Amino acid sequence: MKTLHQIIKLHYSSLSSGQQKVAAFYIEHPQEAALLTAFQIGKQVGVSETTVIRLAYALGFSGYSELQQALRKDLFLPKQKVAEGFFLQDDPASDNHFIRQAIQREQTILQHTANQINIEDIWAMADTLIQSDRVYIAGFGSSYAAAYWLFYSLKQLRDNVVLSSPAGFMTEDLCDLTTDSVAVVFSFPRYRRDTVQAATIAKGQGAKVIGITDRTLSPIGQLADMTFGCLGKEHVDTHSIASTISLLDILLAGIRIRNSGRITKRQQLLERLYTEQQLFSE
């Protein structure tokens, strides 16, 4: 059974501009939306109450009440606020104050990420990455750092893993993708056009696309077959790589659990080669 997030993603492109605003509010502020009436949501978003109700019908629900019930079913874990007062002992103008603010910001991101994780999505992505004949990983500009981290880690676990250049994609890499392949595409603000182009070509080759992005309705989020969402930009001014690496760690853990036999053989071979090359000092 599809979650409300998945239903919204499926219908998003066909919604009116007003309905898209409401849909985005449901995605980005689910706990708040779950407690509001149609009138209150319309006021928050800047549309009429009728637009909110029409969204429910457009998404295939019998009415606003059924839409709210679907949203509440999706909310398994309450969001928890990071303890307040963490840095109140510092002078607001001091350097210590800003350092503690940065620490608190990372805590907020990680807590939000933990609350948003869907375990079934993790297993589905892990299985896809295990079963695919080829994994193409793309991350351009500032997204490249996280893409490279996944590439390096995944190469320890399986073969046929390819990484894009930070400057953009090579058509020749995408040409090798098949219906049994998967493209993992990283995309964070500001969203680059070539990221969407690479994902579109990959889908044209029949490959599945996993989008790792800051929100479900980002350009890649709308295009991807599966979306791994990190903290949305409404919470912070710039993207933090901390939540992304945390998500990837969880995904890799799932792969290790599901494919432990093959991974052990590969790592034994790698260790033998490392030893022969005297690659490491210890």
Side-chain angles (χ1 to χ4, degrees):
M1 185 175 180
K2 288 185 172 64
T3 65
L4 180 60
H5 277 49
Q6 293 169 331
I7 293 170
I8 289 175
K9 179 179 174 182
L10 182 65
H11 294 277
Y12 187 77
S13 61
S14 64
L15 301 176
S16 68
S17 60
Q19 290 170 350
Q20 286 183 345
K21 290 180 181 179
V22 180
F25 184 80
Y26 271 97
I27 293 291
E28 297 167 0
H29 306 278
Q31 290 197 327
E32 185 177 356
L35 301 175
L36 299 178
T37 65
F39 173 79
Q40 290 170 327
I41 290 178
K43 188 175 180 181
Q44 285 266 30
V45 177
V47 300
S48 67
E49 179 181 6
T50 303
T51 299
V52 180
I53 295 171
R54 284 177 178 168
L55 171 66
Y57 295 130
L59 296 178
F61 296 103
S62 61
Y64 178 75
S65 177
E66 187 178 8
L67 169 61
Q68 290 295 89
Q69 289 176 6
L71 174 61
R72 289 163 185 164
K73 286 180 181 178
D74 290 348
L75 297 176
F76 296 109
L77 291 173
K79 288 190 178 66
Q80 300 174 7
K81 293 183 178 179
V82 176
E84 296 180 359
F86 179 72
F87 53 85
L88 291 181
Q89 67 271 27
D90 295 321
D91 181 346
S94 72
D95 290 342
N96 288 349
H97 172 81
F98 293 110
I99 290 296
R100 291 186 187 278
Q101 274 191 319
I103 294 171
Q104 186 184 45
R105 173 177 172 270
E106 294 300 327
Q107 289 178 319
T108 302
I109 290 171
L110 292 172
Q111 184 62 65
H112 178 89
T113 299
N115 291 343
Q116 294 299 313
I117 288 175
N118 185 320
I119 299 299
E120 291 181 1
D121 288 345
I122 292 172
W123 288 125
M125 291 182 194
D127 289 339
T128 298
L129 288 168
I130 291 168
Q131 296 163 10
S132 58
D133 64 351
R134 186 178 182 86
V135 178
Y136 173 73
I137 301 174
F140 312 136
S142 62
S143 299
Y144 181 78
Y148 179 82
W149 191 90
L150 176 62
F151 165 76
Y152 183 82
S153 300
L154 198 57
K155 286 284 282 186
Q156 310 297 309
L157 309 183
R158 59 155 295 158
D159 57 3
N160 292 328
V161 183
V162 180
L163 177 66
S164 72
S165 160
F169 66 88
M170 290 182 63
T171 305
E172 291 80 2
D173 288 336
L174 294 166
C175 178
D176 294 330
L177 299 178
T178 70
T179 54
D180 294 320
S181 304
V182 60
V184 183
V185 183
F186 291 77
S187 180
F188 299 105
R190 299 173 62 187
Y191 308 116
R192 288 178 51 143
R193 294 179 186 273
D194 48 0
T195 306
V196 174
Q197 290 174 336
T200 301
I201 294 172
K203 291 198 76 167
Q205 293 292 100
K208 289 183 179 178
V209 174
I210 296 176
I212 300 181
T213 184
D214 63 314
R215 58 193 179 94
T216 305
L217 299 179
S218 72
I220 283 297
Q222 295 180 53
L223 183 63
D225 299 296
M226 293 178 278
T227 304
F228 225 1
C230 305
L231 184 65
K233 64 182 181 180
E234 72 277 1
H235 294 273
V236 292
D237 295 330
T238 58
H239 174 69
S240 166
I241 197 171
S243 59
T244 306
I245 298 301
S246 296
L247 282 171
L248 296 178
D249 261 334
I250 295 166
L251 180 58
L252 290 166
I255 293 173
R256 291 187 185 97
I257 293 168
R258 284 278 209 251
N259 202 31
S260 59
R262 287 176 59 187
I263 290 172
T264 298
K265 291 180 181 179
R266 181 173 177 80
Q267 291 185 330
Q268 287 173 345
L269 173 59
L270 285 172
E271 286 301 324
R272 179 175 65 80
L273 294 173
Y274 292 155
T275 301
E276 290 175 358
Q277 297 172 21
Q278 298 183 342
L279 186 62
F280 301 108
S281 60
E282 295 181 357

